[in-house]
């Protein structure tokens, strides 16, 4: 029916201004909100970030994914949202919310590693459709030095 | 005098308190000096169900149904001023207008009118039913208020006009339910980008407006316009579709760009027009020079709408000849617009404009109905060819319009030929083919127009059994001195013959060209050589001569 399982993947420019602390605070708040709001409507996924961009995977019933995505579109902490996928899928790649840091900056990796640890993010889960590699490549280009 | 005195006495004669009241639509309660309910009529009893009002104090009764505002009812009486209705709101959101009056015989009478529907309707009249935003009327009312405030305080306010780009395409291709959902999401985005005091209105279709005050201008309006262009331009996920539209914004600021509502509205519209003219997906602030000369195209737009309304458009008919019989076999209907001051405006100029401002459907229908009606009156039953714009296929009502035009004019369906360009087949090919097949079923012939220009995909010839191919005039021009044109021409007539389609050459202007297209196997010709477009009257006369010549 209309509520079959869908996966939506986007990436966008991080427009959180300020230093690494501000970025960290924004990321924590975004993930916390995602986990609470989306659990209720059975949407799971993954959030990836670095200092320059966000990339997010949303998985769940189609109408719920559409509602969550609409809320994300209205968020002014990011801009230039590019959609990479919006398709029906057979199974979820991310059963629970997870978060990954995608960047090359060693300083950032050390800093955000703490955030990411224990979130259960597994890039291998996205290797199947090469989407993760794409995201990773895009993310690298967007990264700004924050140290 | 005595008699009238008696009449008055009859009217004023004391009646039992309850005699005239039970069936009144207005709820009536009578309370004694202690404000305890002594009588209720049926409406009042229904109103307070399941509580039995008799014996309750009014205060207790109001409390029982959670009414707020009950104290004011007594405050009105206690203050001794002329009583105006007090509005009570019950917990179930019903609204009651209450009037309490002292009775000469002691106690009070309380009348209560349920004004819920009335108030809701008044609110609805201010609101756009689809999105819940303010409507055009409410926008104007609020603008008048804000401008009064601007005049008083000197603090600037901004008016933003917003048009959605590409919304019509979404509506046309995916249907109204998705279009409506999209509009509701757009409305949500407007709300998320604006502040509580801002007024957001939908003016109809894909037009919106915002009044912004309490913000330093023009910075406030510029920031909002930038945000709206970005926000509305972000993708939408609806029913499994990913949709992309855009927004163009025009801004006018009071008092510098106008102090009167109509001036400000007009100037915001001019700024919007500029934003659209400069590529859409952007905003433009009003500048006085925009008003100096209303852009020529906009003037043309207004004139074209008027021409359609006033029926200043005309049809001319150009004869089509069969080369073998040398007889007129039909006419092509060609639209002409004789502008009162510009003279004749060529269709190449106004048809694209008509498509853009969405009146091509109305124009196309007028052409179709007029051509059918005039052709039905011709003394010889030759064919009438009518051009269709690709836009006319949108909305799925073309087949109905054609059958209705045939029925109304009583024209034999076999005399009608519809000429379509491949543009009609570029998108939504399946729906277009369905329409074409329906038209074929009722007996209408379909011609592929302008063949040889554009993509000229042979795939189209395979997808639909056209009755005729009209070979574009670029292959006819000087064909007698260009062998490559002859080669192409022969290839097309050969192809058409194999597919059992007829061919017609357009733009034949010289004897040399005529001889050449005939030798290349073409069935029919049309052009200045064999006949220029002529008026409806001249067409009648020409056919009458043909008629008598044949009879002779």
């Amino acid at each position: 029916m209309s509520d079959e399982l869908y996966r939506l993947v986007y990436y966008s420019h991080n427009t959180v201004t300020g230093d690494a602390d501000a970025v960290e605070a924004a990321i924590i708040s975004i993930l916390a909100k995602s986990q609470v709001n989306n659990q209720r409507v059975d949407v799971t996924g993954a959030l990836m970030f670095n200092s320059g961009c966000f990339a997010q995977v949303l998985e769940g019933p189609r109408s719920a994914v559409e509602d969550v995505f609409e809320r994300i579109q209205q968020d002014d902490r990011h801009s230039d949202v590019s959609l990479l996928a919006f398709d029906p899928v057979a199974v979820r790649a991310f059963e629970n919310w997870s978060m990954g840091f995608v960047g090359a900056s060693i300083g950032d990796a050390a800093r955000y590693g703490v955030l990411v640890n224990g979130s259960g993010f597994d890039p291998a889960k996205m290797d199947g459709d090469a989407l993760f590699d794409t995201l990773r490549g895009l993310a690298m280009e967007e990264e700004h030095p924050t140290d | 005098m005595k008699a009238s005195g008696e009449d008055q006495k009859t009217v004023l004669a004391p009646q039992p308190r309850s005699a005239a009241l039970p069936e009144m639509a207005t709820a009536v309660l009578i309370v004694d000096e202690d404000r305890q309910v002594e009588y209720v009529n049926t409406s009042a009893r229904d109103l307070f169900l399941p509580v039995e009002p008799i014996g309750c104090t009014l205060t207790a009764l109001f409390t029982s149904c959670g009414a707020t505002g009950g104290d004011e009812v007594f405050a009105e009486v206690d203050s001794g001023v002329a009583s105006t209705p007090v509005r009570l709101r019950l917990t179930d959101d019903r609204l009651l207008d209450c009037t309490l009056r002292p009775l000469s015989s002691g106690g009070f009478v309380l009348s209560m009118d349920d004004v819920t529907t009335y108030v809701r309707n008044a609110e609805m009249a201010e609101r756009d039913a689809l999105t819940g935003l303010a409507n055009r009327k409410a926008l104007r009312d609020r603008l008048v208020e804000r401008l009064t405030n601007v005049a008083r305080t000197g603090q600037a306010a901004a008016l933003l006009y917003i048009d959605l780009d590409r919304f019509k395409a979404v509506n046309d291709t995916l249907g109204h339910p998705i279009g409506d959902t999209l509009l509701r999401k757009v409305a949500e985005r407007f709300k998320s980008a604006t502040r509580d005091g801002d007024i957001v209105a939908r003016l109809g279709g894909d037009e919106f407006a915002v009044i912004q005050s309490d913000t330093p201008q023009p910075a406030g309006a510029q920031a909002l316009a930038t945000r709206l262009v970005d926000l509305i331009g972000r993708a939408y996920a609806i029913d499994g579709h990913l949709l992309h539209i855009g927004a163009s914004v025009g801004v006018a600021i009071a008092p510098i760009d106008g102090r009167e509502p109509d001036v400000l509205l007009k100037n915001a519209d001019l700024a919007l027009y500029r934003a659209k003219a400069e590529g859409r997906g952007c905003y433009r602030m009003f500048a006085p020079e925009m008003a100096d000369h209303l852009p020529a195209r906009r003037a043309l737009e207004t004139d074209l709408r008027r021409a359609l309304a006033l029926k200043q458009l005309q049809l001319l008919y150009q004869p089509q000849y069969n080369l073998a019989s040398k007889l007129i076999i039909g006419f092509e209907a060609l639209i002409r617009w004789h502008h009162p001051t510009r003279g004749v405006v060529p269709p190449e100029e106004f048809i694209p404009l008509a498509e853009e401002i969405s009146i091509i459907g109305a124009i196309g229908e007028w052409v179709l109905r007029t051509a059918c009606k005039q052709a039905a009156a011709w003394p010889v039953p030759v064919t009438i060819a009518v051009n269709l714009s690709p836009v006319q296929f949108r909305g799925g009502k073309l087949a109905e319009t054609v059958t209705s035009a045939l029925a109304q004019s009583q024209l034999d369906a076999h005399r009608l030929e519809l000429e379509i360009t491949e543009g009609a087949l570029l998108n939504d090919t399946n729906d277009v083919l369905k329409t074409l097949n329906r038209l074929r079923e009722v007996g209408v012939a379909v011609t592929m127009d302008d063949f040889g220009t554009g993509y000229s995909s042979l795939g189209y010839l395979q997808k639909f059994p056209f009755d005729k191919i009209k070979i574009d005039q670029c292959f006819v021009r000087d064909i007698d001195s260009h062998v490559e044109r002859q080669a192409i021409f022969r290839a097309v007539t050969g192809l058409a013959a194999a597919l059992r389609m007829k061919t017609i050459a357009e733009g034949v202007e010289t004897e040399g060209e005529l001889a050449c297209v005939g030798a290349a196997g073409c069935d029919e010709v049309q052009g200045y050589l064999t006949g220029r477009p002529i008026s409806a009257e001249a067409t009648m006369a020409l056919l009458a001569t043909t008629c008598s010549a044949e009879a002779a």
Side-chain angles (χ1 to χ4, degrees), chain B residues 104 210 230 247 352 362 428 474 506:
Chain B
S104 55
V210 179
D230 170 29
D428 307 310
C474 67
E506 65 173 356

Side-chain angles (χ1 to χ4, degrees), chain B residues 212-524:
Chain B
Q212 187 191 44
S213 32
D214 304 322
T215 310
Q217 298 296 356
Q222 286 165 342
L224 178 57
T226 308
R227 175 86 180 124
L228 287 173
V229 168
D230 170 29
L231 193 59
I232 292 167
R234 295 182 178 188
Y236 300 78
I238 296 173
D239 285 1
H241 301 278
L242 274 180
L243 307 177
H244 297 267
I245 56 167
S248 302
V249 185
V251 184
I253 292 170
I256 25 166
D257 298 335
R259 295 162 186 274
E260 297 300 319
D262 291 334
V263 175
L264 207 62
L265 287 163
K266 192 188 90 209
N267 290 347
D269 196 24
L270 281 171
L272 170 62
Y273 182 77
R274 181 61 64 93
K276 285 159 77 174
E278 293 183 3
R280 301 171 183 264
C282 61
Y283 77 89
R284 290 292 178 265
M285 307 296 288
F286 170 76
E289 63 265 24
M290 292 178 188
D292 288 347
H293 51 94
L294 200 64
R297 211 203 67 144
R298 170 155 288 204
L300 190 66
E301 184 182 319
T302 312
D303 288 349
L304 182 56
R305 288 181 194 278
R306 192 175 300 139
L308 177 64
L310 298 177
K311 306 210 186 324
Q312 288 172 344
L313 302 170
Q314 254 188 310
L315 288 186
L316 297 185
Y317 296 93
Q318 185 169 31
Q320 302 176 326
Y321 283 88
N322 182 287
L323 280 172
S325 68
K326 299 199 164 41
L327 289 176
I328 294 179
I329 42 95
F331 288 85
E332 179 181 6
L334 297 165
I335 191 165
R336 189 169 77 160
W337 177 19
H338 194 92
H339 189 280
T341 54
R342 291 163 199 260
V344 174
V345 184
E348 308 86 84
E349 205 170 306
F350 73 85
I351 293 296
L353 177 63
E355 288 178 348
E356 191 176 329
I357 64 176
S358 301
I359 59 171
I360 189 68
I363 291 182
E365 185 170 342
W366 176 83
V367 170
L368 186 68
R369 289 187 187 280
T370 309
C372 287
K373 195 171 76 191
Q374 294 185 339
W378 290 343
V380 187
V382 293
T383 58
I384 173 72
V386 175
N387 293 282
L388 293 182
S389 154
V391 182
Q392 287 176 268
F393 284 88
R394 292 187 197 160
K397 288 180 79 177
L398 182 63
E400 267 173 61
T401 308
V402 172
T403 43
S404 143
L406 287 170
Q408 207 177 26
S409 63
Q410 305 254 292
L411 183 79
D412 179 356
H414 294 94
R415 290 180 56 199
L416 180 63
E417 293 181 4
L418 297 174
E419 297 197 358
I420 68 162
T421 59
E422 66 180 1
L425 291 162
L426 283 180
N427 294 312
D428 307 310
T429 313
N430 286 340
D431 285 347
V432 173
L433 290 179
K434 236 180 268 170
T435 304
L436 291 178
N437 281 313
R438 269 195 63 194
L439 291 169
R440 281 285 295 268
E441 280 164 24
V442 298
V444 175
V446 183
T447 301
M448 169 66 103
D449 200 2
D450 295 342
F451 193 80
T453 63
Y455 298 99
S456 294
S457 166
L458 297 178
Y460 298 137
L461 297 182
Q462 186 189 314
K463 278 184 188 156
F464 184 76
F466 289 95
D467 296 276
K468 200 189 281 186
I469 295 175
K470 185 177 258 188
I471 304 171
D472 193 75
Q473 51 185 302
C474 67
F475 299 103
V476 176
R477 183 81 53 254
D478 301 326
I479 187 170
D480 41 332
S481 55
H482 288 78
V483 281
E484 77 285 358
R485 286 179 201 173
Q486 292 165 21
I488 292 170
F489 205 96
R490 264 197 307 274
V492 177
T493 53
L495 180 69
L499 292 168
R500 294 198 184 82
M501 297 175 190
K502 280 189 287 185
T503 45
I504 179 165
E506 65 173 356
V508 176
E509 291 184 358
T510 66
E511 292 290 350
E513 289 166 359
L514 182 68
C516 214
V517 299
C522 191
D523 302 303
E524 299 164 5

Side-chain angles (χ1 to χ4, degrees), chain A residues 68-145:
Chain A
V68 170
F69 178 65
E70 181 58 28
R71 213 164 47 230
I72 289 167
Q73 285 291 52
Q74 294 177 22
D75 197 321
D76 58 8
R77 287 172 297 192
H78 65 171
S79 70
D80 302 312
V81 177
S82 305
L83 269 148
L84 300 175
F86 180 47
D87 302 297
V89 287
V91 287
R92 293 177 198 246
F94 299 89
E95 286 288 342
N96 298 298
W97 272 97
S98 62
M99 180 160 71
F101 170 74
V102 279
S105 155
I106 294 165
D108 282 354
R111 179 182 189 99
Y112 299 127
V114 183
L115 265 183
V116 171
N117 276 345
S119 81
F121 181 74
D122 180 5
K125 287 187 172 170
M126 291 198 67
D127 277 354
D129 51 6
L131 209 45
F132 181 73
D133 286 339
T134 310
L135 280 176
R136 194 183 178 89
L138 292 166
M140 295 296 195
E141 285 173 21
E142 296 298 334
E143 191 171 30
H144 309 301

Side-chain angles (χ1 to χ4, degrees), chain B residues 120-261:
Chain B
R120 296 278 181 277
N121 284 347
E123 283 172 3
M124 287 305 289
E126 295 255 289
R127 225 178 285 158
D128 169 53
L130 178 67
T131 59
L133 298 177
N135 63 15
R136 186 183 287 273
K137 179 192 172 295
L139 176 87
R140 204 176 185 288
D141 292 350
R142 297 295 96 71
L143 186 62
V144 170
E145 289 167 17
R146 297 292 164 96
L147 289 180
T148 311
N149 200 44
V150 168
R152 203 176 58 238
T153 64
Q155 203 182 32
L159 174 68
L160 292 83
Y161 254 21
I162 303 98
D163 259 16
L164 304 184
D165 307 327
R166 298 183 298 281
F167 172 75
K168 284 191 180 72
V170 172
N171 228 13
D172 288 344
T173 53
L174 297 174
H176 289 291
I178 288 188
D180 285 354
T181 308
L182 178 57
L183 286 173
R184 278 193 287 264
K185 290 206 174 185
V186 168
E188 286 304 313
R189 293 193 186 181
F190 266 104
K191 282 188 227 155
S192 87
T194 49
R195 303 192 308 181
D196 276 352
D198 298 338
I199 308 295
V200 184
R202 177 170 171 241
L203 306 178
D206 56 359
E207 295 170 49
F208 295 81
V210 179
I211 308 173
Q212 187 191 44
S213 32
D214 304 322
T215 310
Q217 298 296 356
Q222 286 165 342
L224 178 57
T226 308
R227 175 86 180 124
L228 287 173
V229 168
D230 170 29
L231 193 59
I232 292 167
R234 295 182 178 188
Y236 300 78
I238 296 173
D239 285 1
H241 301 278
L242 274 180
L243 307 177
H244 297 267
I245 56 167
S248 302
V249 185
V251 184
I253 292 170
I256 25 166
D257 298 335
R259 295 162 186 274
E260 297 300 319

